[in-house]
Amino acid sequence: MTNRKAILKIGDYTSESFNITHGTPQGSPLSPILSTLYTANLLHSVKQWKHSDLTMYVNDGAIYATSRTMNAATMKARERFHAVLEWLYRNSLDTDPAKTELMTFKKRSANRNLIGDTTQGLRYTDPVHGPSNITAATMIRYLGIYLDHDLSWKNHVDIMCHRRGLAPTGPIGRTR
């Protein structure tokens, strides 16, 4: 981890070598181990949460919140997200606002008049970046799986089939 150097190459340009003074190299097997050890206390601190949870896979995390209404679930998620941001800040870590997404789910049989409709976005205050906004996503990718509001497999199957050059078939993978 000491005396490491790197070279930056963009197109035909190659930089002079420069020292790397901190961090682990991209792709290092040490990165996921250090990330897991470092954030273990964060996962321990959220055990007291009610009707919400934080899951993490190395440096990728998701906050889940449930409630009787869409608005209440969204506000609970924002409260939990802010607690995570504060923990990260106190421990010299940060999030990437560009990679932060919000998605709401409801039972197909749920009465929209009783629980509300899909959330359009969320405002929050980041201790590093200040006032911020998350626009609700219509589809998210988490740990390689594509999720949509209906929790159907259609988008995931379509994306995986096109990625592998396969034509989607059957009722799930049918394209328009």
Side-chain angles (χ1 to χ4, degrees):
M1 296 301 293
T2 60
N3 300 322
R4 294 180 296 130
K5 295 192 177 286
I7 296 174
L8 179 65
K9 182 171 174 134
I10 302 174
D12 294 334
Y13 171 78
T14 303
S15 74
E16 297 292 323
S17 67
F18 55 92
N19 293 324
I20 300 176
T21 58
H22 63 282
T24 55
Q26 180 70 28
S28 168
L30 189 56
S31 291
I33 295 166
L34 291 175
S35 178
T36 302
L37 289 172
Y38 200 75
T39 57
N41 286 335
L42 171 59
L43 289 171
H44 181 73
S45 73
V46 304
K47 285 184 176 184
Q48 78 223 350
W49 288 1
K50 301 278 188 231
H51 307 292
S52 53
D53 194 17
L54 168 67
T55 61
M56 294 187 70
Y57 182 78
V58 186
N59 65 347
D60 207 356
I63 296 171
Y64 303 92
T66 62
S67 189
R68 292 187 183 272
T69 67
M70 296 291 266
N71 187 54
T74 302
M75 294 304 105
K76 176 73 71 181
R78 178 173 66 184
E79 177 185 323
R80 301 310 192 205
F81 182 52
H82 196 263
V84 169
L85 289 173
E86 289 291 333
W87 188 95
L88 293 172
Y89 178 72
R90 286 191 313 272
N91 289 277
S92 302
L93 296 173
D94 194 7
T95 61
D96 184 351
K99 293 182 178 180
T100 304
E101 300 172 297
L102 169 71
M103 181 170 278
T104 54
F105 306 97
K106 64 180 176 249
K107 292 181 181 178
R108 288 188 182 119
S109 62
N111 183 334
R112 186 177 291 171
N113 295 325
L114 295 177
I115 68 162
D117 208 353
T118 303
T119 303
Q120 299 300 310
L122 181 66
R123 290 191 177 282
Y124 68 97
T125 302
D126 186 297
V128 175
H129 305 285
S132 300
N133 186 54
I134 304 172
T135 303
T138 57
M139 181 173 53
I140 59 173
R141 180 176 175 226
Y142 184 63
L143 302 179
I145 298 173
Y146 293 88
L147 302 168
D148 60 26
H149 292 285
D150 298 325
L151 293 175
S152 74
W153 288 101
K154 184 194 179 323
N155 289 317
H156 179 79
V157 170
D158 284 349
I159 290 166
M160 292 295 111
C161 286
H162 284 95
R163 184 177 288 167
R164 289 175 175 78
L166 303 172
T169 59
I172 293 176
R174 192 173 297 139
T175 57
R176 295 179 195 117

